Amino acid sequence: MPHRVPVAAVKRLEPLPDAEYARVGGMLYERVGPGEYRGGVSVLYNAAGGPIRFVPKPSAHLPVRLMGLREGEAGVVALW
């Protein structure tokens, strides 16, 4: 399950050396019925499956919990 982080909680991305990032746009966000969806999201990911590092906004008062992964630990983060 991806870790979802709202874009408003991100101060800046910190690109990693030699990392390639990609974006998928227009993914359907919320299923409201059979074949019916509301909203869309864009997803940023490391093309090699590696980490994405970002600095959170210190003043972001959003209902979100940010977490760090240990070195070598796998995980996925989705920003919306």
Side-chain angles (χ1 to χ4, degrees):
M1 175 72 161
H3 303 292
R4 295 181 178 109
V5 178
V7 173
V10 177
K11 182 176 180 177
R12 70 175 181 277
L13 292 174
E14 291 190 340
L16 299 171
D18 300 322
E20 292 184 26
Y21 300 100
R23 176 187 165 273
V24 175
M27 293 180 64
L28 300 175
Y29 179 65
E30 180 182 9
R31 185 172 186 225
V32 294
E36 294 182 54
Y37 296 85
R38 179 180 358 199
V41 295
S42 294
V43 176
L44 175 70
Y45 64 95
N46 183 317
I52 295 176
R53 193 171 295 165
F54 66 91
V55 176
K57 285 184 183 173
S59 62
H61 299 292
L62 300 166
V64 64
R65 233 174 71 195
L66 300 178
M67 59 177 277
L69 298 176
R70 289 179 282 227
E71 188 68 33
E73 187 176 19
V76 175
V77 176
L79 303 177
W80 83 91

